[in-house]
Amino acid sequence: MKKRQVISTVLATAMVASLGMTASAATEVAANELAYKGELEIMHYSTSEESEGNGGSDGFRTVLAAWDEAHPDITLTQNVLANAEYKTQIATLAAAGDLPDVFLLQGMNTIAWADQGLIMDLTDTIAASPYAADYNEAYFTPFKTADGKIYGYPALTGGTCTVVIYDKAMWAEAGYDAFPTTWADVEAASEKFNEQGITTVAFGNGGKWQANSDFLSTLGNRYTGPEWFQSLINKGGAAFTDEAFVKALTEMQRLFTETSIFNEDFNAVTNEDAREYYISGDAAAFIGGNWDWSYIYATLKDSDEEKFANMGIAVLPQPADATEAPTSQNIGLGYAIAINPNLAEDPDKLAAAIDLAQEITGPAFASYVAENYALGGLTKVADVDLSAFDQQTQDFYNWSYVDTETCEIYDSCINSAVWDILNTDMQTMMNGEMDPATVAQNAQDAYVANY
Amino acid sequence: MKNDGTHKVKKGVLGVFMNLILWIFSLSCIFPIIWMIYSSLKEKRVFNADIISLPKEPTLVNYIRILTNSDYHLGESMWNSARTTILSIAMIVVFSFIVGYILSRVRFKLNRVLYVMFLMGMLIPIHSLLVPIYIVFQRCGISNKWFTLLLPYVSFGLPMGIFLVEGYVKTIPVSLEEAASIDGSSFTHTLWTIIFPICKPILVTVAIIQVFSCWNEFSFALVLIKDVSLQTVPLALTQFKGQFASDYPKQMAAMLITMAPIVVLYFAFSKQIIKGMVAGAVKG
Amino acid sequence: MKMLNATRPKNKTLFLYLMIPVAMFVFTVFVPLITALVYSFFEWKGGPVKTFNGLTNYIQLFHDGTFWEAFGHNIYLVIACIIGQVGIAFVLVLMVNSKLVKCKTIHRTFGFFPSTIAAVCIGLIWNMIYHNKYGILNWFLESIGRKDLCQVWLNNSDLVMLLVTIPLIWQYIGYYMVIILSAISGISTDIFESSEIDGANGFQKAIYITLPLIKNTMLVCVTLCIAGNMKAFDNIYVMTKGGPGTASMVMAMYGYQISFSQSNMGYGSCISVGIFVLSLLVIGGSQALINFLTREKEA
């Protein structure tokens, strides 16, 4: 299942405990005068467990609480479920046409739900937002329909879904000062690592989505360039069966079936298990998303100072026959605050909901997560003071937001039906039991049938 | 006599063999609980590093976190679960008995139809019904109430109970009811004072099985309950899941806390329960 | 045996007794079931909008390779579990009841336990057993010198179905033990004693006395087993989610995936109807088969 929209969970350099202080930034929510008095319901998945591992979630909950306090006449009812249950529940509610007042919308559902009138068109509202000038425009992509209408305020924090975490010491020994920039070099290094009985790169695709979000999404971009995916979103003529994409699939299959770079059990273990391989030293590197980075960061900081100091990050290596964007990584926000169109009947309530949406994604939130976690959300914050954070966090911040090229995350957009089929097929393909052309064709058929 | 000797040895070997198999099986069944218990005494990272070995430094930190964090409203959810389960069991037992008995004994036009209808209830995968049930309940205004879950729990627990009772009743000779009737006992009187006690074993079995089903049920609770104050235990436990980092030891601690009442009851009363299950044969 | 008309209650009494449970059942199970049936004739992509498309979903179902592959997996499960869960449970109950076995209560109590534990835990435990690096299975193979057999068990498309069935069998043996136990307890011990005097040994007693006397309960167990396994979901979901690819896909999981992951609820309803019809056929078929086999013996 797609949990990804990791973006929300992001980086959470969460273990801010590392800073020795718990998040203490002032949450100054703009206490706007609201005429509405009554109940407002919001549904989300930032459980307290979630917020412990995740700066974005923590920020979300904190700002929500502050907003609640700032408006004593409004009863804010929060319906909080863990992510997997949230998705089941929201799907049921959508099917029954019974969505709550305010909720988190997943990117890939935008177009379908907009068609059915389940979410409100917020294009004008967003343009009129007091913070509009500071909004990071790129984040709106998954929540737009073909005609450019926007249906949500991208929420929580943005982080990468494909980062290579490697142990500098181990790779230096193998002869590389920095992580190799091409797969050919990784293969060469893998020979040395295999002799020592160490896995070169750990990866976990047990949940089927990891291969898509944490690997293909970036690898694909290296072959097709960003226009291809954009065209796919806009139904502009691109297809999964296009040569460049099939080449990406082929390379992916080659890497997992013909080289001995990865751990044997990549299809059976999840990213959570695979990152433990890295932590324990059984693997020299690991590929995952920002949530994995946060976990590894927090774990190593507490348990293994040396390994912590040796933690390095890099972009996905470039395949030999790829031609585009060698330093790209996929990053974005997977969920947005959406509003139920029924609220249009009560202008005061609608105003309250809009205010809520603006504040949860606005500067109060942004400065909270920036100051406590070095994370970024929808609203840009000027001059983030990184000096309070350790080197690792600073490096990751720069890597995520400054130094690399970005590309879209595949499963934030289009349609869950398509990705479900592609992910299942990919798992089989990575075992060598299905060929890339068939995978591409099945995905294309699903795309045509469902999008 | 020669036969006695080898016979005794054979019996001896057979005995050892059977005992061994049963012990291996029973221990394998109890191991998960033991594993859960000592794993819940580990911190998350210690657990992730080594899933199976005993904790070197057992700690109660998970339990403390759970019991002191107001977000985890376990107490309230346990009360909700207890109330729902007890009421559901009572209804399942009573209704299974009535319907199972009638279907088994009484000839009437709809007998076969009802039988098949209840059978159908067992064949449906729950997930297919989630959305339809939500819609039906929502339209009737009965979703998200304290009694909401009773309806699906009882309805889905009935088929199994009915079939078990029906099969069991078939082994009771009809002469019993006939004798009672000759003595002037009405149908209702016979049913409750004579048949009901005889069916105790199977009804106890049905109750035991359903207790765990109801307590652990998740999907319907997820879809039909929205208020935090009405959540049952499995729902409350989802608060322990994060999107990307599962804290298994803490989840296990939570599961153990919530399973504890039932497990304690089960073991405390195991003697009575077993007695109930194997209670008296019907002497012809 | 049905009762004599003399003892039969009045229709009005019957009606009063059956009214509540039947009404409850119809409302909670049947009405949604009919609703799902109706939806299966629509194209319903996850919002409130539905468009009628007649038999399109059913035709698609007929041609859906994944669905029939899943059906095959379910049949595999059913057969394995009838033999495994019910069969082994029967044998174990006989053992427990035998005079040669001590500590009967412990075995009866412990055996039931796994069926009370949530599927998530069972999945965790067995994932641990099958784990490539830290798993008990591979550790065991290594220690007996067969390292060549060590592999990533759950990634093996050919074996994965078998591997996933084993935990399912293990979990529910105790469940059927409890049911069979209570049924056997209803048999008068006189019968056993007189058969022993006649020279019957344990095996013969089991087959010729015990089994026929609890035939009804065994039939119920088999029916429960089939019904339960045709809609198996939790365990497999936790262990492999139907993977790798679709190698361990079962029908209920496929339905869930289509309805929720792919937001195609119309087709998902159609799959549910399919599961339902197939389950009816399998159960009907198996009951006919059992009746046929046992009728022969009595003749």
Side-chain angles (χ1 to χ4, degrees):
Chain A
M1 294 237 251
K2 280 114 239 195
K3 304 163 160 205
R4 288 338 181 120
Q5 314 334 20
V6 150
I7 308 188
S8 7
T9 47
V10 192
L11 299 179
T13 316
M15 294 301 121
V16 176
S18 62
L19 290 180
M21 62 175 164
T22 32
S24 59
T27 36
E28 291 136 11
V29 171
N32 299 324
E33 273 297 308
L34 291 174
Y36 181 66
K37 296 182 192 348
E39 275 194 28
L40 190 63
E41 195 192 352
I42 179 170
M43 192 163 153
H44 63 89
Y45 61 85
S46 291
T47 60
S48 71
E49 177 71 26
E50 178 87 11
S51 69
E52 265 179 47
N54 186 312
S57 264
D58 184 27
F60 192 80
R61 289 165 62 89
T62 313
V63 178
L64 210 53
W67 191 92
D68 196 10
E69 228 185 283
H71 299 277
D73 287 333
I74 302 183
T75 321
L76 184 68
T77 319
Q78 294 188 42
N79 190 347
V80 189
L81 291 167
N83 185 272
E85 283 73 40
Y86 176 85
K87 291 202 284 218
T88 307
Q89 178 70 309
I90 208 92
T92 310
L93 294 174
D98 203 22
L99 287 164
D101 299 327
V102 181
F103 57 96
L104 285 176
L105 169 73
Q106 201 172 357
M108 66 172 99
N109 288 330
T110 310
I111 298 189
W113 289 13
D115 275 346
Q116 305 212 28
L118 287 169
I119 44 183
M120 189 182 273
D121 178 4
L122 297 170
T123 328
D124 296 329
T125 327
I126 290 177
S129 158
Y131 314 122
D134 293 324
Y135 283 164
N136 190 328
E137 286 304 318
Y139 288 157
F140 284 108
T141 317
F143 310 104
K144 283 189 187 163
T145 49
D147 48 3
K149 297 211 183 109
I150 313 178
Y151 285 87
Y153 290 80
L156 299 157
T157 48
T160 182
C161 290
T162 314
V163 58
V164 178
I165 300 170
Y166 69 99
D167 188 303
K168 293 186 191 155
M170 285 166 96
W171 283 85
E173 253 184 64
Y176 295 89
D177 286 329
F179 195 77
T181 48
T182 63
W183 282 109
D185 283 339
V186 178
E187 283 176 67
S190 74
E191 281 169 40
K192 298 202 191 101
F193 283 119
N194 288 334
E195 274 168 39
Q196 304 168 38
I198 298 179
T199 307
T200 315
V201 180
F203 189 72
N205 187 34
K208 296 189 203 178
W209 54 267
Q210 294 97 333
N212 184 334
S213 284
D214 300 354
F215 205 95
L216 182 67
S217 189
T218 305
L219 192 73
N221 190 54
R222 305 291 182 80
Y223 283 88
T224 65
E227 307 82 27
W228 175 84
F229 191 61
Q230 198 57 49
S231 165
L232 207 61
I233 298 178
N234 297 334
K235 294 202 206 168
F240 283 101
T241 41
D242 288 342
E243 203 190 318
F245 186 71
V246 179
K247 272 207 209 154
L249 285 176
T250 315
E251 174 68 5
M252 191 154 172
Q253 184 181 49
R254 188 192 75 88
L255 285 172
F256 282 93
T257 55
E258 289 173 34
T259 67
S260 37
I261 300 177
F262 297 99
N263 44 313
E264 281 186 297
D265 50 4
F266 63 84
N267 257 343
V269 299
T270 60
N271 55 309
E272 293 175 24
D273 301 317
R275 65 194 182 199
E276 294 295 337
Y277 290 167
Y278 174 78
I279 291 176
S280 63
D282 283 338
F286 168 79
I287 296 182
N290 62 74
W291 51 93
D292 293 314
W293 183 91
S294 301
Y295 179 81
I296 297 179
Y297 169 91
T299 312
L300 287 180
K301 185 154 193 155
D302 274 351
S303 61
D304 190 333
E305 270 191 49
E306 206 190 305
K307 202 164 172 76
F308 177 67
N310 282 326
M311 193 171 148
I313 47 181
V315 292
L316 201 68
Q318 186 77 333
D321 56 342
T323 51
E324 311 270 342
T327 63
S328 57
Q329 41 99 357
N330 54 348
I331 186 170
L333 290 165
Y335 283 89
I337 307 274
I339 300 181
N340 189 328
N342 295 344
L343 263 64
E345 295 163 23
D346 184 346
D348 285 340
K349 192 170 184 186
L350 180 60
I354 293 178
D355 187 80
L356 178 63
Q358 275 170 201
E359 291 307 315
I360 312 181
T361 57
F365 174 76
S367 42
Y368 180 89
V369 294
E371 285 166 40
N372 289 295
Y373 299 104
L375 293 175
L378 174 66
T379 311
K380 291 185 244 190
V381 175
D383 308 319
V384 176
D385 180 10
L386 289 179
S387 56
F389 298 104
D390 57 42
Q391 190 59 44
Q392 308 292 27
T393 315
Q394 292 189 31
D395 287 346
F396 194 46
Y397 182 88
N398 289 324
W399 183 92
S400 304
Y401 300 119
V402 181
D403 298 335
T404 54
E405 232 183 289
T406 61
C407 58
E408 284 299 331
I409 304 177
Y410 280 178
D411 57 11
S412 280
C413 314
I414 314 220
N415 186 294
S416 56
V418 175
W419 299 125
D420 196 62
I421 292 182
L422 178 67
N423 293 350
T424 308
D425 284 346
M426 273 213 294
Q427 209 181 35
T428 317
M429 180 188 90
M430 283 154 78
N431 268 348
E433 289 164 18
M434 194 186 269
D435 73 282
T438 320
V439 176
Q441 188 59 51
N442 289 347
Q444 183 60 19
D445 293 339
Y447 174 75
V448 167
N450 290 308
Y451 191 53
Chain B
M1 311 229 293
K2 225 179 359 171
N3 283 343
D4 256 2
T6 44
H7 191 58
K8 269 208 182 113
V9 171
K10 268 199 200 152
K11 266 207 162 157
V13 170
L14 187 62
V16 168
F17 178 69
M18 288 204 289
N19 273 302
L20 190 63
I21 298 268
L22 282 173
W23 273 108
I24 294 180
F25 177 68
S26 293
L27 286 176
S28 79
C29 289
I30 208 71
F31 174 67
I33 291 283
I34 299 184
W35 176 68
M36 272 172 74
I37 294 177
Y38 73 68
S39 294
S40 70
L41 297 174
K42 288 184 189 167
E43 275 241 61
K44 175 168 72 175
R45 297 192 199 125
V46 174
F47 177 78
N48 283 338
D50 188 347
I51 307 183
I52 197 172
S53 59
L54 288 166
K56 297 193 186 80
E57 301 159 20
T59 160
L60 288 176
V61 104
N62 290 320
Y63 288 97
I64 297 175
R65 283 201 201 122
I66 293 173
L67 295 169
T68 54
N69 189 323
S70 61
D71 257 0
Y72 306 144
H73 34 263
L74 280 184
E76 196 177 33
S77 65
M78 288 200 348
W79 163 243
N80 287 329
S81 275
R83 182 191 61 225
T84 309
T85 304
I86 294 176
L87 288 175
S88 303
I89 299 293
M91 288 200 269
I92 292 178
V93 166
V94 169
F95 289 143
S96 302
F97 173 64
I98 296 176
V99 180
Y101 177 77
I102 292 180
L103 285 184
S104 169
R105 283 290 207 241
V106 179
R107 226 183 301 261
F108 63 103
K109 267 186 287 199
L110 293 177
N111 190 316
R112 210 61 208 159
V113 169
L114 283 181
Y115 182 86
V116 172
M117 189 181 84
F118 282 109
L119 175 69
M120 302 220 278
M122 282 204 302
L123 302 180
I124 309 164
I126 307 260
H127 289 104
S128 348
L129 292 182
L130 284 183
V131 179
I133 281 197
Y134 176 78
I135 295 182
V136 169
F137 275 41
Q138 179 76 344
R139 298 281 149 78
C140 296
I142 53 175
S143 80
N144 205 26
K145 301 264 188 303
W146 68 268
F147 58 82
T148 309
L149 289 176
L150 292 177
L151 289 165
Y153 288 2
V154 173
S155 305
F156 282 94
L158 274 181
M160 187 208 126
I162 292 176
F163 290 125
L164 285 176
V165 170
E166 201 231 354
Y168 191 82
V169 162
K170 283 201 181 126
T171 64
I172 304 177
V174 189
S175 45
L176 237 105
E177 287 110 301
E178 291 167 10
S181 153
I182 290 175
D183 278 349
S185 164
S186 72
F187 174 74
T188 303
H189 189 252
T190 317
L191 187 69
W192 296 104
T193 56
I194 302 183
I195 310 286
F196 189 70
I198 295 180
C199 285
K200 217 169 39 158
I202 200 74
L203 290 175
V204 169
T205 310
V206 169
I208 298 290
I209 292 181
Q210 291 297 335
V211 158
F212 289 105
S213 278
C214 291
W215 187 267
N216 286 332
E217 202 284 328
F218 181 71
S219 306
F220 283 121
L222 175 67
V223 168
L224 294 172
I225 299 290
K226 253 205 288 198
D227 277 353
V228 163
S229 59
L230 290 175
Q231 279 185 348
T232 56
V233 164
L235 275 187
L237 285 178
T238 66
Q239 298 292 321
F240 295 100
K241 291 204 280 175
Q243 195 177 353
F244 293 111
S246 312
D247 188 344
Y248 288 122
K250 192 152 77 172
Q251 279 184 49
M252 285 196 234
M255 280 191 226
L256 285 171
I257 292 179
T258 51
M259 271 174 74
I262 306 194
V263 170
V264 164
L265 282 174
Y266 179 72
F267 278 112
F269 290 106
S270 62
K271 269 229 173 75
Q272 281 90 320
I273 294 175
I274 300 288
K275 244 213 264 177
M277 290 203 265
V278 302
V282 176
K283 301 278 179 199
Chain C
M1 276 209 53
K2 298 285 196 285
M3 50 175 41
L4 298 176
N5 278 336
T7 43
R8 186 188 182 284
K10 294 194 285 276
N11 279 346
K12 185 169 133 200
T13 324
L14 272 185
F15 179 73
L16 284 174
Y17 267 126
L18 290 178
M19 187 175 70
I20 302 179
V22 172
M24 200 189 256
F25 186 81
V26 167
F27 176 70
T28 317
V29 179
F30 242 66
V31 169
L33 181 61
I34 302 292
T35 320
L37 176 67
V38 168
Y39 289 154
S40 67
F41 293 108
F42 285 74
E43 183 189 337
W44 183 23
K45 290 292 178 74
V49 171
K50 306 175 191 76
T51 37
F52 186 73
N53 68 359
L55 290 175
T56 319
N57 286 335
Y58 285 93
I59 298 177
Q60 191 183 350
L61 188 67
F62 206 66
H63 292 146
D64 190 338
T66 315
F67 179 73
W68 295 108
E69 189 189 344
F71 178 62
H73 292 154
N74 278 96
I75 297 291
Y76 177 91
L77 264 183
V78 165
I79 298 178
C81 288
I82 293 183
I83 303 174
Q85 290 170 354
V86 182
I88 296 183
F90 181 66
V91 169
L92 287 182
V93 167
L94 289 179
M95 281 200 219
V96 167
N97 275 344
S98 145
K99 281 182 251 168
L100 299 173
V101 168
K102 312 279 189 305
C103 309
K104 292 183 200 288
T105 323
I106 290 190
H107 295 306
R108 287 178 192 144
T109 327
F110 282 14
F112 183 63
F113 235 70
S115 61
T116 66
I117 306 177
V120 176
C121 267
I122 305 278
L124 257 186
I125 296 169
W126 283 89
N127 270 342
M128 194 176 85
I129 297 179
Y130 291 136
H131 200 280
N132 185 42
K133 283 203 177 172
Y134 312 132
I136 302 179
L137 189 55
N138 277 347
W139 170 82
F140 178 70
L141 285 174
E142 249 186 86
S143 55
I144 58 168
R146 293 304 305 270
K147 186 146 186 224
D148 53 308
L149 287 179
C150 288
Q151 52 170 302
V152 184
W153 297 101
L154 290 177
N155 196 28
N156 183 327
S157 302
D158 300 319
L159 283 182
V160 72
M161 206 55 219
L162 172 66
L163 296 175
V164 150
T165 310
I166 297 176
L168 207 51
I169 293 180
W170 172 81
Q171 193 182 5
Y172 284 101
I173 292 181
Y175 180 90
Y176 291 104
M177 268 175 77
V178 156
I179 298 179
I180 297 176
L181 200 63
S182 74
I184 287 188
S185 71
I187 304 177
S188 157
T189 44
D190 299 342
I191 306 184
F192 289 117
E193 284 160 13
S194 56
S195 71
E196 265 173 40
I197 294 176
D198 281 346
N201 67 21
F203 186 69
Q204 288 166 321
K205 271 195 282 184
I207 303 284
Y208 295 113
I209 302 180
T210 318
L211 207 46
L213 282 176
I214 58 168
K215 179 181 130 170
N216 287 314
T217 307
M218 290 305 275
L219 254 173
V220 172
C221 281
V222 169
T223 308
L224 285 175
C225 186
I226 296 180
N229 285 310
M230 287 297 276
K231 57 180 190 182
F233 178 86
D234 287 324
N235 290 58
I236 303 191
Y237 180 76
V238 171
M239 288 186 74
T240 61
K241 293 200 174 37
T246 55
S248 62
M249 184 64 76
V250 286
M251 296 192 293
M253 235 183 83
Y254 188 55
Y256 179 82
Q257 205 175 317
I258 296 281
S259 289
F260 288 93
S261 300
Q262 297 188 18
S263 295
N264 192 345
M265 299 208 167
Y267 189 53
S269 299
C270 178
I271 292 179
S272 307
V273 173
I275 298 178
F276 178 68
V277 169
L278 289 171
S279 302
L280 265 180
L281 289 175
V282 172
I283 290 186
S286 59
Q287 281 197 348
L289 185 67
I290 292 178
N291 280 334
F292 176 70
L293 288 174
T294 47
R295 199 172 295 149
E296 268 204 296
K297 280 212 182 98
E298 280 167 22

